[in-house]
Amino acid sequence: TRMIGLLSLLSLAGMFLALYTLFRSTNLALQVLAALPMAAIGAVSALVITRQSLTVASMVGFISLAGIASRNGILLIAHYLHLVKYEGEQFTPEMIERAGKERLAPMLMTALTAGIALVPLVLAAGEPGKEILYPVATVILGGLISSTLLDFFVHPALFWCFGRRSAQSQIDRADHDELGDIS
């Protein structure tokens, strides 16, 4: 359990570094990581509903869920930046709504394909050989449901309230770097 806890912390640190490298912004990296508590809501709820306790297998599910849930935030924030930088949009509520609509299908497809693949494992509770897979699948499926539903409400609100300035700085910095490459 201690080893999994340590590896979880290392995973989070690695995720943060990868996100910081992608966005060059602590703020935007933390906004993507905001998906983790949203996923945890569904994962913990799924464990409670199925009357499972926190086991090593379910902890492994939480680690896997962290990467899956973060992907939707990356898609959304990267699309905000794309719309402003390459399509002439401004950081407005309409742009945020447009980005959400344009990313709805890819985000739902990601969640649905992963979720549907896990349904047989969740339904196989109590079957021999599924003792480890059942808690992992339960945690991931529950977390996917909550994080996907909340992604379309929480991420846009977080970005609107806290991320616009960081995003504009990142775009300005990228434009400055491109001008430096030209000269």
Side-chain angles (χ1 to χ4, degrees):
T1 302
R2 272 187 241 144
M3 180 61 83
I4 288 179
L6 177 64
L7 292 174
S8 297
L9 292 175
L10 289 173
S11 298
L12 286 174
M15 288 173 63
F16 176 80
L17 289 173
L19 291 168
Y20 183 81
T21 301
L22 174 66
F23 293 119
R24 297 276 186 234
S25 167
T26 300
N27 183 310
L28 296 178
L30 290 174
Q31 284 193 31
V32 171
L33 292 178
L36 302 184
M38 293 186 289
I41 291 169
V44 170
S45 297
L47 287 175
V48 169
I49 290 168
T50 58
R51 296 187 174 160
Q52 295 181 63
S53 60
L54 187 64
T55 62
V56 171
S58 60
M59 291 168 81
V60 169
F62 276 103
I63 294 170
S64 300
L65 178 61
I68 297 168
S70 296
R71 184 178 186 279
N72 286 346
I74 294 168
L75 282 174
L76 205 53
I77 291 175
H79 199 55
Y80 294 156
L81 298 173
H82 171 81
L83 289 175
V84 171
K85 186 170 181 178
Y86 297 107
E87 296 194 23
E89 290 276 356
Q90 297 298 313
F91 289 115
T92 62
E94 292 77 23
M95 182 278 299
I96 291 174
E97 184 179 336
R98 176 184 170 192
K101 287 177 181 176
E102 290 177 0
R103 286 294 162 240
L104 178 64
M107 291 168 72
L108 286 178
M109 284 177 49
T110 301
L112 283 173
T113 53
I116 290 170
L118 294 169
V119 168
L121 292 173
V122 171
L123 296 176
E127 288 185 18
K130 305 290 192 286
E131 300 86 6
I132 293 178
L133 297 176
Y134 175 63
V136 172
T138 303
V139 165
I140 294 174
L141 185 61
L144 276 176
I145 291 169
S146 67
S147 71
T148 302
L149 292 174
L150 291 172
D151 264 339
F152 290 104
F153 301 106
V154 176
H155 272 128
L158 279 175
F159 184 81
W160 179 253
C161 293
F162 305 109
R164 291 178 293 162
R165 186 172 294 139
S166 294
Q168 188 62 55
S169 296
Q170 197 244 9
I171 288 172
D172 293 343
R173 191 170 34 251
D175 289 344
H176 182 270
D177 291 346
E178 287 174 8
L179 290 175
D181 290 342
I182 293 172
S183 46

